[in-house]
Amino acid sequence: MEHPYGYIKDDKVFLKGFLGQPDRIIGEVKEDKASTLKYFEDRFATVTEKVENLKKDIEENQNKGSFLMKLIHLRDSLMQYDALGDFVPLIEDLNQLEAYLEDIIKKNRERNLEIKRGLILEAEALKNNTDWKETSELFKELKLRWIKTGPVEKEFEVEIENSFNTAVDTFFENRKQFFEGLALQAEENIKVYEDLVRQAQEAFNNPDAKKAFEISKRIQKEWKASGKVPAEKRQPLWDEFSKLNNRIFSRFRREMQSGPRLNPREVIAKMESITEEMKKLAYQESTPMVTSLAKKLQAEWKPLSQTRPRDANLITRNFIFYSEIVFEKSFLNRLAISKYDDFRDKSDEEQAKIKIVILKDLLHRDESELRTVKENSENFRSQEPDFEIMMRRKISAFRRKIDVKNFILKELSNK
């Protein structure tokens, strides 16, 4: 049975060859020849519609070049598409469209090259500027415009990337050297840190563990209040200082644990005291010292929590809540620093705004996960005896995470 673009032979449906291709089998007769031919004609109508839709998308969209790969894939698929119809006009249309898109892409890349060369000139004009804060913002904007500008022809890629990056790196290297030079002004502060390390060593040598611990707490507060020095000079002192204080605390904890057993009322009083200390840390700005003190409070808490009285549940919840605030603040700081290279150079108000944006995103994720957990809890029931308890704890943990973030968000919003 013949068809303008194919035929049926031995119950096999053939498509006539086109564009140098031989005749090929595209299917077989299922019910009758007429309905079979109609089926393959309908398939051709479907692929014709795909071509028309692509042409329409290209016509209506500004970013026409983004359709090039889709066009190529569609055209290639036409050569092996199982249908009955005249494929040649479709392929020719797509060939013309391909040439049209390639011309657009070429012109866009020429324009992108012109834009990027302009950005290089701007970067060159700024690279030796010593207004560090304002110029850092200008370079941030320049880098954003550079990223948003599309690609250029391959032959120019390396040249312009190197030129732009060299100008950017020159400024930031100059800025780095300037702030390193400020270390000369911090020599007096270094002497203060060195004296605190000496006091920590004396406290460590003190045989009275309780007295040593009291001195340790005092000098840690003094350390926190001391002036700024370059990190590379401060870090070795901090390593020695924290090591001595950790040993002082460990000895104090051992003596406390080996001492007389506290009665329930004394345990609760101690737990309330530690919780109050953790609460104070929760209301402070996050620093390595605050985080370190929080970890020490957790270590003090641990032996108490193992034998806590039944009526200490509220104290325990408060301690956990304030602890999580301290460590969430620390995590938020690290996240902000990792996302913004110049975060430490920003004002307190700018830093707070950045943290609020990050925190709202984290809060949205937690709320979404909480909804999922609740839905799973309602939709999937288990006969396991611990299933309900596990789900309640999981939901409670998510709610606490949300409460912690809301606490920090409110604190940042009031700055």
Side-chain angles (χ1 to χ4, degrees):
M1 185 172 183
E2 288 293 327
H3 183 276
Y5 302 104
Y7 54 89
I8 296 175
K9 180 181 179 182
D10 298 332
D11 284 338
K12 302 291 185 183
V13 182
F14 286 79
L15 172 67
K16 291 179 181 178
F18 60 91
L19 298 179
Q21 291 195 124
D23 296 1
R24 63 181 178 87
I25 297 173
I26 60 172
E28 59 185 25
V29 177
K30 295 294 184 183
E31 297 178 1
D32 57 70
K33 293 180 179 180
S35 63
T36 299
L37 293 176
K38 178 67 166 59
Y39 167 77
F40 285 104
E41 288 171 347
D42 290 343
R43 280 181 59 81
F44 183 78
T46 300
V47 79
T48 300
E49 186 178 0
K50 285 184 180 181
V51 172
E52 292 302 318
N53 287 339
L54 177 59
K55 289 161 68 175
K56 184 179 178 183
D57 288 341
I58 292 171
E59 181 181 348
E60 294 177 351
N61 278 272
Q62 269 193 317
N63 189 11
K64 300 182 187 298
S66 63
F67 291 95
L68 179 60
M69 290 312 298
K70 184 176 181 180
L71 182 150
I72 292 171
H73 290 150
L74 178 58
R75 184 189 60 196
D76 290 347
S77 71
L78 293 181
M79 302 299 291
Q80 299 299 322
Y81 196 79
D82 295 339
L84 288 173
D86 190 359
F87 285 92
V88 174
L90 299 182
I91 293 171
E92 289 176 347
D93 281 354
L94 294 178
N95 285 340
Q96 291 177 5
L97 266 177
E98 180 185 15
Y100 168 67
L101 294 181
E102 286 178 342
D103 183 59
I104 289 175
I105 291 170
K106 185 175 185 299
K107 290 177 180 176
N108 285 343
R109 290 184 175 179
E110 289 172 353
R111 186 176 71 253
N112 293 340
L113 179 61
E114 184 179 346
I115 293 171
K116 286 192 170 182
R117 281 177 171 160
L119 294 175
I120 290 170
L121 291 176
E122 290 185 52
E124 287 286 343
L126 290 171
K127 69 179 182 182
N128 294 317
N129 200 319
T130 56
D131 186 342
W132 309 115
K133 186 175 181 179
E134 181 181 346
T135 311
S136 294
E137 288 300 314
L138 291 173
F139 266 106
K140 182 180 176 182
E141 180 191 343
L142 270 181
K143 289 196 283 187
L144 188 61
R145 285 159 61 194
W146 183 274
I147 292 169
K148 287 183 177 180
T149 304
V152 301
E153 294 292 349
K154 292 286 185 183
E155 61 185 295
F156 299 110
E157 267 185 6
V158 174
E159 172 200 340
I160 65 165
E161 288 288 340
N162 287 344
S163 297
F164 183 75
N165 290 335
T166 298
V168 173
D169 293 344
T170 297
F171 168 76
F172 285 103
E173 181 63 27
N174 290 343
R175 189 186 71 168
K176 177 185 174 184
Q177 290 178 5
F178 170 80
F179 284 107
E180 285 177 349
L182 293 180
L184 296 175
Q185 302 172 24
E187 289 301 324
E188 291 303 316
N189 290 337
I190 291 176
K191 293 178 182 178
V192 173
Y193 286 114
E194 288 173 342
D195 185 61
L196 290 172
V197 173
R198 179 189 58 77
Q199 293 183 56
Q201 183 65 59
E202 290 179 354
F204 175 72
N205 294 334
N206 192 321
D208 186 334
K210 184 176 181 182
K211 180 66 175 176
F213 181 64
E214 292 300 321
I215 295 173
S216 173
K217 288 199 295 185
R218 174 181 60 77
I219 61 178
Q220 286 185 70
K221 289 180 181 178
E222 291 180 20
W223 182 283
K224 180 183 175 183
S226 298
K228 294 181 179 180
V229 298
E232 67 272 15
K233 293 187 177 181
R234 182 178 179 274
Q235 191 61 45
L237 295 171
W238 166 250
D239 291 342
E240 181 65 19
F241 184 75
S242 60
K243 179 179 70 175
L244 290 166
N245 282 291
N246 287 338
R247 289 176 177 175
I248 292 169
F249 175 73
S250 296
R251 184 178 62 173
F252 175 73
R253 182 179 60 183
R254 285 196 302 271
E255 291 202 10
M256 291 293 292
Q257 289 175 343
S258 62
R261 190 176 183 85
L262 300 176
N263 63 46
R265 184 175 297 175
E266 290 172 325
V267 171
I268 287 180
K270 184 65 175 175
M271 293 175 78
E272 287 176 338
S273 174
I274 295 174
T275 299
E276 189 61 30
E277 289 297 315
M278 187 64 82
K279 181 178 179 180
K280 291 176 183 177
L281 295 179
Y283 278 92
Q284 294 181 28
E285 292 292 330
S286 179
T287 65
M289 180 66 72
V290 168
T291 305
S292 177
L293 290 173
K295 289 178 181 178
K296 291 177 181 178
L297 289 175
Q298 286 182 325
E300 286 187 61
W301 177 272
K302 187 175 180 180
L304 297 173
S305 66
Q306 292 170 351
T307 58
R308 69 176 182 269
R310 292 182 179 178
D311 52 351
N313 289 338
L314 178 59
I315 303 172
T316 300
R317 287 197 297 271
N318 285 339
F319 178 80
I320 293 172
F321 177 69
Y322 291 123
S323 299
E324 291 188 357
I325 289 172
V326 172
F327 293 107
E328 185 69 24
K329 281 184 175 181
S330 176
F331 171 71
L332 185 59
N333 263 3
R334 295 197 306 272
L335 199 56
I337 291 168
S338 71
K339 286 177 175 288
Y340 297 87
D341 294 338
D342 57 346
F343 179 77
R344 291 189 180 93
D345 300 328
K346 294 182 179 295
S347 65
D348 291 345
E349 183 180 353
E350 290 172 320
Q351 290 184 3
K353 287 180 180 178
I354 288 172
K355 289 180 182 179
I356 287 172
V357 171
I358 295 173
L359 201 54
K360 285 183 177 179
D361 181 54
L362 295 174
L363 189 58
H364 175 73
R365 295 182 194 176
D366 285 347
E367 289 170 342
S368 176
E369 288 187 32
L370 176 59
R371 286 193 297 271
T372 302
V373 171
K374 284 182 177 179
E375 290 170 2
N376 291 341
S377 176
E378 293 169 0
N379 296 333
F380 302 100
R381 296 291 177 181
S382 172
Q383 299 303 318
E384 294 293 329
D386 295 335
F387 178 78
E388 292 293 334
I389 296 173
M390 180 193 73
M391 293 307 295
R392 282 200 300 271
R393 286 178 178 171
K394 198 168 185 179
I395 290 171
S396 176
F398 269 108
R399 284 175 174 162
R400 189 171 63 250
K401 287 171 69 176
I402 291 170
D403 289 342
V404 164
K405 288 181 175 63
N406 278 322
F407 177 96
I408 300 172
L409 189 61
K410 182 178 179 181
E411 191 176 63
L412 289 170
S413 300
N414 289 334
K415 285 190 175 182

